[in-house]
Amino acid sequence: MKLTRFKVLFFLIVGCFLLAIAKVFSIEVLNLGQYKRIYATQIQPTIVVEGKRGLIFDSRDKILAENTFLYDIFVDPKYYIAHNNHENSKFLNFIDNFFKINIRQLIQKNPQKQYINLGIIPAKYFFFIKKHIPLGFGLQKKQVRYYPYKNDASHIIGFVNESGKGVVGVEKEYNMYLQGQKIFEKISLTPYGTIQYSKIPQNGDNIHLTINETVQNYLHYLLKTTLKKHKAKMAMGIVLKPDGSIVAMDDVPGYNNNKYYDYTNYARIKDMPINFLFEPGSVFKIVTMSSALNSGIFNGNETLWCDNGYWPVFGHIIEDVEDNKFLRFDQVFAYSSNVCSAKIALKEKKKIFYKYLWRFGFGKKTGIDLPGEESGIVKDYILLRPFDLATMAFGQGISVTDIQLARAYATIANGGFLITPHVLNYITKNHKIIYKYKEHPIRILKTQTVKKVRHILGDVVKYGTGIYAQLKNYSIGGKTGTAQVANGKGGYSKNHYIGSFIAVFPLNKPQFVILITVVDPKGVNYGGVVAAPYVAKMASFLAAYYKIPGNNNLIINKKIAWRQ
């Protein structure tokens, strides 16, 4: 009895197993085509649907980055075959020629497919397509980024790649806010290309910047002008408010971010004011004078012997452009004496000098909200030799960026506080502010020190190396710099220089820090010539644009004191 029951159970199991094999054989071999057709009729194609990318505005709501739309054309072979009794030769031939394909063959080889993307159709063909499109073909909108001001603000704004992702600039820094929501959506296609969505993705947030496009445009013009006049390799500029808000920032030659793919030289795309490292020269004396005064080692009334502009020290020679003899503390910087700047730093000693160098933020990133910032290069404190300290006093043996320099001078403009340069003002979603930038300033200089330094910067322009930055009816202070370029052999080139001028404007009630740097100008290369006049032009423009009241400042005679 038990044996019979076992045999029945055994044959029942074997029978079920054989039936399962037969069914699989029927599906996979005998009726494969039929089941594929049933499956194809039941599924819906899936595509990626993305919300609109957020817009980028300047400080006065001018659009700096917006979206335009192109059209992807697609075909539903299954629907085309079922609903077209005769072919539209004119349309199909156009598709063949434009995409370099055989559309008829593509349809015949994929009779059960419901969605094949053929590619982008330029806007000029849109009305032809719409007029002649047959059943089974359709158009799908595709957003493309457009930058109305092209080269003017391209380094700040950046661009997105073909996938719609920010690659450089604000587009990259705030990509997570700007990017619209992406969803994978099953779609229903109509004969005329209407796509029916079951979900609508969220659009990206809008970014509002501190940049003023009108000021940005004028800065771009000034940089191009000095670049051309002095046959320079590059020119950079920054207009910064004392609270760290960047009003304008640019470098030339630049690039058109609508056609970023045309630029094989990536240096044209880099944001040089935050990326390009160089030895700053005399503009770095802001650290020397500030540290000397704030530490109390100097009170600003001292007179120093400048060795007739030629000082043998530590087995090297430090020289001035002029044969300077005795100079007061303020004159040391007004006439830009390297010899006496070195003597001041050596009296401070490296502990005090480095304390303020670090306070000003040199040797580390400013934290600006743009990608690609460099930290700069500061020599190791422990290994620093006395001669290294002497040369750092006038901006040799240290590498900085323009944004670090602008930040340092902003400290003088705002009363002694270290700030973080930034381009973001606020972020909006559905016309509501969801984030507002807030500055957290840190005091690094005494108020009295700031007053003394401002006075010295004013002297630079009144009678020193910055006389070509003078303005009628407006007070302006600043510092020139003419830096030698390292030759890579342990010394400095005698043919390549970098000229700079940084201004605080207006000096009596500062509203802006203005910086222009000219790299490798030909002929006269002094910062007082290649940069200072253009800073003055920018200051004059800002005074008119922002309606800044004057103070009856008089222009004195311009004597030849602009070198350094």
Side-chain angles (χ1 to χ4, degrees):
M1 186 69 178
K2 288 184 180 180
L3 183 60
T4 303
R5 188 179 299 169
F6 174 77
K7 287 181 180 180
V8 171
L9 185 59
F10 171 77
F11 284 114
L12 185 60
I13 293 172
V14 171
C16 290
F17 180 71
L18 292 174
L19 284 172
I21 292 176
K23 186 63 176 177
V24 170
F25 181 77
S26 173
I27 293 172
E28 293 291 333
V29 180
L30 299 180
N31 298 303
L32 178 61
Q34 177 185 349
Y35 281 103
K36 278 187 174 181
R37 286 191 293 272
I38 294 171
Y39 176 75
T41 60
Q42 292 177 345
I43 64 168
Q44 290 177 294
T46 301
I47 64 171
V48 176
V49 183
E50 183 176 0
K52 293 178 183 178
R53 190 171 179 86
L55 306 181
I56 300 175
F57 296 90
D58 84 337
S59 61
R60 300 202 170 185
D61 289 333
K62 286 185 180 179
I63 296 177
L64 303 179
E66 59 185 327
N67 302 310
T68 59
F69 293 93
L70 299 177
Y71 289 88
D72 272 341
I73 189 166
F74 62 87
V75 61
D76 178 343
K78 182 180 178 182
Y79 200 99
Y80 178 84
I81 293 170
H83 293 83
N84 284 279
N85 297 323
H86 64 279
E87 70 172 34
N88 185 332
S89 297
K90 189 173 185 178
F91 178 85
L92 297 182
N93 290 340
F94 169 81
I95 296 297
D96 284 347
N97 293 330
F98 186 83
F99 291 109
K100 308 300 181 188
I101 61 173
N102 187 326
I103 187 62
R104 297 168 180 85
Q105 192 175 78
L106 183 67
I107 291 171
Q108 290 170 2
K109 286 185 176 181
N110 300 277
Q112 297 304 319
K113 279 200 173 181
Q114 292 180 276
Y115 182 85
I116 299 176
N117 192 313
L118 301 178
I120 295 174
I121 290 289
K124 63 181 180 179
Y125 297 117
F126 175 74
F127 292 105
F128 169 83
I129 296 292
K130 196 168 182 181
K131 181 178 179 181
H132 297 284
I133 191 168
L135 300 175
F137 281 82
L139 294 171
Q140 179 185 356
K141 269 187 178 182
K142 181 176 182 179
Q143 63 176 317
V144 178
R145 207 64 160 164
Y146 176 68
Y147 306 100
Y149 296 99
K150 304 173 185 177
N151 300 58
D152 283 4
S154 55
H155 287 106
I156 293 176
I157 304 304
F159 57 86
V160 300
N161 60 19
E162 293 181 356
S163 301
K165 184 178 180 180
V167 177
V168 293
V170 171
E171 292 278 29
K172 179 178 181 179
E173 185 73 15
Y174 292 104
N175 186 71
M176 65 177 291
Y177 293 97
L178 289 163
Q179 194 168 45
Q181 181 187 22
K182 286 186 177 180
I183 59 175
F184 290 91
E185 174 75 306
K186 288 184 177 181
I187 59 174
S188 300
L189 305 176
T190 67
Y192 294 101
T194 302
I195 301 179
Q196 297 176 344
Y197 303 108
S198 61
K199 300 176 183 177
I200 298 177
Q202 291 186 9
N203 296 330
D205 304 327
N206 294 330
I207 301 294
H208 299 256
L209 302 180
T210 60
I211 300 299
N212 183 304
E213 198 285 323
T214 302
V215 180
Q216 178 76 22
N217 177 271
Y218 190 63
L219 176 63
H220 186 75
Y221 163 76
L222 290 177
L223 294 179
K224 287 197 300 181
T225 303
T226 188
L227 183 82
K228 182 178 180 180
K229 181 176 181 179
H230 299 287
K231 299 177 182 178
K233 182 179 179 181
M234 179 173 66
M236 303 177 286
I238 298 173
V239 179
L240 178 74
K241 288 186 177 181
D243 66 356
S245 303
I246 294 177
V247 181
M249 185 168 71
D250 198 14
D251 61 271
V252 294
Y255 76 104
N256 180 351
N257 46 358
N258 288 310
K259 298 181 178 180
Y260 65 88
Y261 40 78
D262 288 344
Y263 299 87
T264 54
N265 182 4
Y266 185 65
R268 293 282 293 272
I269 294 176
K270 284 183 177 180
D271 198 349
M272 290 304 186
I274 71 170
N275 182 269
F276 180 72
L277 292 175
F278 65 103
E279 296 188 29
S282 294
V283 289
F284 194 73
K285 290 173 182 174
I286 192 75
V287 175
T288 308
M289 67 176 91
S290 297
S291 58
L293 293 169
N294 207 72
S295 63
I297 294 175
F298 288 82
N299 60 29
N301 298 318
E302 296 83 358
T303 298
L304 295 93
W305 170 243
C306 299
D307 291 83
N308 293 308
Y310 187 88
W311 187 34
V313 60
F314 305 120
H316 300 273
I317 303 294
I318 295 178
E319 294 183 83
D320 290 344
V321 173
E322 306 292 339
D323 299 333
N324 294 309
K325 296 178 173 43
F326 284 103
L327 293 177
R328 297 190 312 271
F329 184 91
D330 56 346
Q331 291 176 322
V332 168
F333 301 102
Y335 292 126
S336 206
S337 169
N338 292 338
V339 171
C340 282
S341 294
K343 288 185 175 183
I344 289 171
L346 288 170
K347 187 173 181 179
E348 291 180 47
K349 299 183 180 178
K350 70 176 183 179
K351 181 177 181 180
I352 295 297
F353 190 86
Y354 262 69
K355 174 183 176 181
Y356 285 93
L357 180 152
W358 288 328
R359 275 193 181 186
F360 274 107
F362 290 103
K364 58 184 178 182
K365 296 179 181 180
T366 66
I368 186 173
D369 51 342
L370 288 172
E373 183 183 11
E374 289 288 344
S375 301
I377 302 172
V378 176
K379 289 183 177 178
D380 186 275
Y381 175 81
I382 301 298
L383 302 177
L384 192 76
R385 302 172 301 168
F387 183 70
D388 295 329
L389 177 59
T391 58
M392 284 177 69
F394 52 88
Q396 275 192 358
I398 182 171
S399 292
V400 305
T401 62
D402 264 357
I403 194 64
Q404 289 176 324
L405 289 171
R407 182 196 202 190
Y409 280 76
T411 300
I412 306 304
N414 65 30
F417 294 90
L418 188 69
I419 46 80
T420 301
H422 58 277
V423 296
L424 178 68
N425 190 0
Y426 57 91
I427 301 174
T428 61
K429 189 178 191 68
N430 298 325
H431 306 290
K432 294 181 180 179
I433 295 177
I434 60 173
Y435 177 79
K436 179 84 168 75
Y437 182 88
K438 187 176 181 180
E439 182 58 52
H440 300 282
I442 302 170
R443 178 170 286 282
I444 63 170
L445 295 177
K446 301 171 187 174
T447 303
Q448 192 61 32
T449 299
V450 171
K451 289 180 179 179
K452 290 180 180 180
V453 172
R454 283 186 191 172
H455 179 78
I456 293 171
L457 296 180
D459 287 345
V460 172
V461 176
K462 283 180 182 178
Y463 62 82
T465 58
I467 57 174
Y468 288 133
Q470 291 177 1
L471 289 174
K472 186 177 181 180
N473 297 325
Y474 288 95
S475 61
I476 182 171
K479 186 69 192 78
T480 57
T482 306
Q484 292 177 285
V485 177
N487 60 16
K489 300 177 182 178
Y492 290 90
S493 170
K494 296 185 181 298
N495 301 312
H496 302 285
Y497 294 83
I498 297 176
S500 301
F501 186 75
I502 311 181
V504 175
F505 174 77
L507 189 60
N508 56 323
K509 293 182 179 180
Q511 294 187 38
F512 299 99
V513 171
I514 309 167
L515 162 62
I516 288 182
T517 298
V518 183
V519 178
D520 202 13
K522 303 299 184 289
V524 178
N525 48 41
Y526 297 111
V529 175
V530 301
Y534 301 96
V535 169
K537 288 179 184 291
M538 174 55 77
S540 181
F541 174 84
L542 292 170
Y545 184 78
Y546 288 100
K547 296 180 173 57
I548 300 173
N551 60 356
N552 298 318
N553 185 62
L554 298 177
I555 295 179
I556 64 173
N557 293 327
K558 295 179 179 179
K559 57 183 180 178
I560 304 301
W562 38 258
R563 293 180 288 182
Q564 279 274 12

